[in-house]
Amino acid sequence: EAGVAQSPRYKIIEKRQSVAFWCNPISGHATLYWYQQILGQGPKLLIQFQNNGVVDDSQLPKDRFSAERLKGVDSTLKIQPAKLEDSAVYLCASSPTGYGQPQHFGDGTRLSIL
Amino acid sequence: AQSVSQHNHHVILSEAASLELGCNYSYGGTVNLFWYVQYPGQHLQLLLKYFSGDPLVKGIKGFEAEFIKSKFSFNLRKPSVQWSDTAEYFCAVSGGATNKLIFGTGTLLAVQP
């Protein structure tokens, strides 16, 4: 089974620039998650999709972050404008529908803000 | 507030030593508990999970964890570690309808040959 695909693996931008990350979940997984992992911390959920609808975006900084999953498969996460504190690894995960289903993670995108 | 605490940030062991990593959680209601592992250069992988039933859960690569409800704990154990167990270990909890995972800060384990 192919895993969760993410791109790019690394991105370096200057503050106030914009950036976008892409995620392709495991085939058939209806639920997709974006996490932010700051150095020295555990991953923190930013947004969760069920098919193409948002289930939870309570911790997404909506003034600068946006995410979409238009066709219920691939997803993009955008930051505009970026701040220094956005430097982190952005992880995408997917899971089948159902209570307690384990999440499968991609390799992540490491974002550095200069 | 929902939270997960991992007591050890860095652990250094010699091969064949026994391992126990602490995890405590704060969560109202029924919980599902997980341990994920991240080997160097790889993505997060599920090590084991607890949903219900036998509180002693066995996972991959000889790992096990015990859910102690009265202590809100889910400690990870392995009787004899190997150099290949060098990785970062994350405890996580989920509950409710969304399956949202709340992670601890992680424990970096270094096993010396």
Side-chain angles (χ1 to χ4, degrees), chain A residues 9 31 33 35 37 40-45 48 55-56 58-59 91 95-108, chain B residues 6 9 30-32 34 36 38 41-46 49 51 88 90 94-106:
Chain A
R9 288 296 308 275
T31 310
Y33 312 79
Y35 289 86
Q37 185 176 13
Q41 300 180 19
K44 182 186 80 172
L45 181 70
Q48 176 181 344
V55 173
D56 184 345
S58 57
Q59 297 195 84
L91 297 168
S95 71
T97 302
Y99 178 73
Q101 290 286 345
Q103 298 176 26
H104 301 257
F105 286 81
D107 289 333
Chain B
Q6 292 184 240
H9 296 292
T30 304
V31 295
N32 303 311
F34 305 82
Y36 279 85
Q38 188 166 25
Q42 297 186 26
H43 58 266
L44 277 165
Q45 303 171 40
L46 182 66
K49 60 185 180 183
F51 288 174
E88 189 160 21
F90 292 92
S94 75
T98 66
N99 288 338
K100 169 183 176 179
L101 278 175
I102 298 168
F103 283 88
T105 53

Side-chain angles (χ1 to χ4, degrees), chain B residues 40-93:
Chain B
Q42 297 186 26
H43 58 266
L44 277 165
Q45 303 171 40
L46 182 66
L47 201 54
L48 50 78
K49 60 185 180 183
Y50 171 81
F51 288 174
S52 62
D54 189 343
L56 186 60
V57 178
K58 294 192 184 299
I60 60 172
K61 303 187 180 185
F63 286 90
E64 64 180 30
E66 185 175 12
F67 170 54
I68 303 179
K69 189 175 181 179
S70 61
K71 295 184 178 180
F72 300 93
S73 70
F74 190 56
N75 292 353
L76 182 70
R77 298 195 293 250
K78 185 171 184 178
S80 176
V81 295
Q82 301 173 321
W83 177 79
S84 57
D85 294 325
T86 294
E88 189 160 21
Y89 293 81
F90 292 92
C91 182
V93 62

Side-chain angles (χ1 to χ4, degrees), chain A residues 10-114:
Chain A
Y10 305 93
K11 190 74 177 178
I12 302 173
I13 62 172
E14 295 184 346
K15 60 183 179 182
R16 292 189 289 274
Q17 286 187 324
S18 62
V19 64
F21 314 123
W22 173 82
C23 173
N24 181 240
I26 292 173
S27 178
H29 282 191
T31 310
L32 186 146
Y33 312 79
W34 283 102
Y35 289 86
Q36 180 192 57
Q37 185 176 13
I38 292 172
L39 187 65
Q41 300 180 19
K44 182 186 80 172
L45 181 70
L46 291 175
I47 189 167
Q48 176 181 344
F49 292 94
Q50 178 73 21
N51 295 308
N52 61 350
V54 175
V55 173
D56 184 345
D57 64 356
S58 57
Q59 297 195 84
L60 186 74
K62 299 180 186 64
D63 58 333
R64 297 183 301 104
F65 286 65
S66 64
E68 59 184 13
R69 193 184 184 201
L70 293 175
K71 297 183 179 179
V73 181
D74 293 7
S75 177
T76 56
L77 176 69
K78 296 179 182 177
I79 308 174
Q80 182 179 12
K83 291 185 175 182
L84 292 175
E85 60 260 35
D86 298 332
S87 293
V89 176
Y90 291 85
L91 297 168
C92 180
S94 69
S95 71
T97 302
Y99 178 73
Q101 290 286 345
Q103 298 176 26
H104 301 257
F105 286 81
D107 289 333
T109 296
R110 184 175 298 276
L111 175 65
S112 297
I113 312 293
L114 303 179

